[in-house]
Amino acid sequence: MTSPSDVQPAAAAPARGDEKAVVLVGPMGAGKTSIGRKLAKALAATFRDTDAIVVREHGPIPELFRTRGEQTFRELERHAVAEALAAGGVVSLGGGAVLDPRTREDLRAHRVVFLTVALPAVRGRIAGANRPLLEGADPVAEWRRIFDERRPLYEEVAGLEIDTSTGPISGVVARIADWVRQSAEEGSR
């Protein structure tokens, strides 16, 4: 494992035309990973989940929070985000990745979709989840507080916002894929 001082975020590659990544941002439980996998298939692109990159390289996220702290996790997350953006394709960011101003700046070069979800729908999605930031007496209230705090950042970076509270995932995927294709056509003119 690397120490926080060893982590040097890779610079996100400049994106041009179809080299832009399609990036999914949003709160815990919005469906970024599930939708991202299906979207990658629909676009014939690779899929990268920054939380999965952190886990693969450094171990389980709850363990990182316990043993190394949130600040170290955020540094490792920043490195994973830069790596995923540079590789392109479809990228799912962890819910807190937008807290880093460098990440928000990097996202300007990509197609970013804000996946949102209503509180009643997210209740079932986060129940029993092993999410360090939701530990405590009322995980739903904590989710709401975190979402309210981060929402302006998601809105700042996104070119498209979609609510995932209801309806089939396939509809969300189709809508994003159409938007990506349209923005690629507009970018090539």
Side-chain angles (χ1 to χ4, degrees), residues 32 72 99 104 148 181:
K32 297 180 300 286
T72 297
L99 296 171
R104 293 194 308 275
D148 289 346
R181 289 180 189 113

Side-chain angles (χ1 to χ4, degrees), residues 24-108:
L24 305 177
V25 300
M28 295 174 264
K32 297 180 300 286
T33 300
S34 301
I35 291 167
R37 283 189 180 115
K38 292 180 185 302
L39 180 61
K41 285 183 182 177
L43 296 174
T46 57
F47 174 72
R48 289 173 184 78
D49 181 307
T50 61
D51 282 348
I53 293 169
V54 170
V55 169
R56 181 183 70 236
E57 294 178 1
H58 305 284
I61 292 171
E63 183 68 18
L64 288 170
F65 266 76
R66 275 193 296 280
T67 61
R68 299 175 74 188
E70 184 175 358
Q71 180 177 354
T72 297
F73 168 75
R74 295 294 173 205
E75 291 171 16
L76 298 172
E77 178 180 56
R78 168 66 189 148
H79 179 72
V81 168
E83 175 186 317
L85 292 177
V90 175
V91 179
S92 170
L93 298 191
V98 296
L99 296 171
D100 190 304
R102 297 167 299 176
T103 293
R104 293 194 308 275
E105 182 61 32
D106 289 348
L107 289 175
R108 294 183 198 291

Side-chain angles (χ1 to χ4, degrees), residues 16-18 20 111 180-189:
R16 295 174 309 278
D18 289 335
K20 291 181 179 183
R111 296 179 185 100
V180 168
R181 289 180 189 113
Q182 180 183 7
S183 62
E185 287 174 12
E186 291 170 358
S188 65
R189 292 182 195 161

